Amino acid sequence: MSTNRRSTGMSARHPSSAAFAPNVYKSTTEPPAPTSKQKALHSKFKAAAAMTGMHGRQQNDKERKAPKEERPSNLKVWVLASRPHTLTASIAPVLVGAALTSYHHSKAATTGDGRSNNNILALSVAWGAFACLIQLGTNLHNDYADFVKGADDEKRVGQARATQKGWLTPRQTAGGATLCLALATAIGLYLAHSIAGTGGGFYGFDSASLFIVASSVFNAVAYTGGPYPLGYVGLGSISIGYSGLGDIFVFLYFGLVATLGVPYLYLRSHGNSESPLLLLLDNDLFRRAFHAAIPIGNLATAIIVVNNLRDRKTDVLAQKRTTAVRFGETFARSEYALLVLSSYAFLFVLAKSTYEDAWILPLLSLPVAMPQLEAVALGGKDGAALNEHVGGTARLQLLFCLLLVLGINLSTE
């Protein structure tokens, strides 16, 4: 017995038996080795987890690093909302109309029919102020109405809008538009009264001028429409721009009306009481001003065409049916080419009607027109890349008008 106990004790301490001791506490079977398919799935899960973590870290880094857009100063915000760079479309036609009026006055003076030239400058300044205030009012109301109607949102590809950015409330931009249009109305009524003459016109106001003042103010708010102020009289659904009539509006008011304004006021203030239609048929000044207004109106319309071409994709979402939306990209690009090129072709009609070769001087602006035609008409650019060509077309119109003014002044001397 003792021998067995000692032998058992010795065997418990034997190195060979110690190697098997741990197996008493382990399962007698080992797990099967993973297959190649399981290994591949495991690798995919690890890679997906790693990518998810990386994406999350990158997204958080972007959120931390993206600078929050700060609100500019009040002055800069109102300048942005009013878009003063667009005022060239209002000022340039007035300059041409004033130059034509001075040209006519100088010719009349040489034949002994001239009267005082003192009021041409005053009429030009007043009419220019009226035109600029109408455009400022239109711009501010557009900033307000495009926002409340959903056309200006975070997907906008054009220049920033103050209401859309939250820098001004809709009430503030609508109030700014109201102030500009009220001032324009006051100036327009003053001009309509000053040229009516004793007992003439409608209650002491020139009838045609009253119509221009009233329609200009109405069109300024009807261009984009919206609930204010037309909604208060049941006309909130009216919108010139959203119905595709913006091109016609711009041609009529930023082409014909803006250019013919000073000649008409001059003729009325000098006792000519003929209707605008008879003036167009019988009066050299008014007829020449009408001829000059056509290329100017074409270039003004080209500005809105490239603007609508740029915005056509977001305009569709806002149900803004501009000509670019109604008829498509190809139509808009072709329309732009026709408007710009016909402006230069019409210079020869203008020169022939006056026998003044200097009036074709705007041809010198063709090198400025070519990059615009290449980018817009030939389809070189689209979307936000067209931003520079909205301003580029506005600068082209200004240069065209300044060269025409120079040509008119050269033929006056």
Side-chain angles (χ1 to χ4, degrees), residues 165 241 246 299:
K165 289 288 188 181
L299 290 174

Side-chain angles (χ1 to χ4, degrees), residues 336 340-341 344 365-378 389 396:
Y336 183 87
V340 173
L341 294 176
Y344 289 98
S365 65
L366 265 172
V368 178
M370 295 310 296
Q372 314 306 323
L373 287 167
E374 182 180 0
V376 181
L378 300 181
H389 299 287
L396 172 63

Side-chain angles (χ1 to χ4, degrees), residues 9-241:
M10 290 175 63
S11 64
R13 291 188 297 270
H14 196 276
S16 61
S17 63
F20 296 96
N23 289 337
V24 176
Y25 305 100
K26 285 189 178 181
S27 173
T28 56
T29 59
E30 293 289 338
T35 64
S36 58
K37 186 176 181 179
Q38 289 173 329
K39 288 180 179 179
L41 286 174
H42 182 65
S43 299
K44 287 182 179 180
F45 287 140
K46 287 180 66 178
M51 289 299 295
T52 302
M54 183 182 298
H55 176 73
R57 287 191 299 273
Q58 289 175 345
Q59 189 67 24
N60 291 336
D61 289 342
K62 285 182 179 180
E63 293 175 357
R64 284 193 297 268
K65 294 178 182 178
K68 186 178 179 180
E69 193 169 4
E70 294 184 0
R71 185 185 188 276
S73 66
N74 284 333
L75 177 61
K76 288 184 178 180
V77 167
W78 280 106
V79 167
L80 175 69
S82 59
R83 308 172 216 169
H85 61 279
T86 65
L87 291 180
T88 57
S90 296
I91 296 172
V94 175
L95 293 177
V96 173
L100 286 167
T101 305
S102 296
Y103 170 84
H104 173 83
H105 181 83
S106 66
K107 292 296 183 182
T110 59
T111 60
D113 296 329
R115 293 183 175 89
S116 172
N117 192 28
N118 293 336
N119 70 336
I120 295 180
L121 178 60
L123 291 174
S124 301
V125 171
W127 181 248
F130 171 81
C132 288
L133 284 168
I134 289 292
Q135 182 161 8
L136 289 174
T138 304
N139 291 345
L140 287 167
H141 188 270
N142 174 257
D143 197 298
Y144 149 78
D146 266 348
F147 174 75
V148 298
K149 295 176 77 170
D152 284 349
D153 56 18
E154 67 278 358
K155 297 178 182 178
R156 176 176 173 79
V157 296
Q159 290 89 349
R161 293 286 181 259
T163 314
Q164 176 248 332
K165 289 288 188 181
W167 297 333
L168 292 175
T169 66
R171 184 183 182 91
Q172 287 175 311
T173 45
T178 302
L179 176 60
C180 290
L181 295 177
L183 292 173
T185 301
I187 295 173
L189 291 177
Y190 167 77
L191 289 172
H193 177 69
S194 66
I195 64 172
T198 304
F202 180 79
Y203 291 98
F205 294 92
D206 177 68
S207 301
S209 298
L210 270 183
F211 173 78
I212 292 299
V213 173
S215 61
S216 296
V217 173
F218 175 81
N219 290 335
V221 294
Y223 183 81
T224 316
Y228 174 84
L230 297 181
Y232 292 105
V233 292
L235 300 176
S237 61
I238 291 179
S239 174
I240 296 172

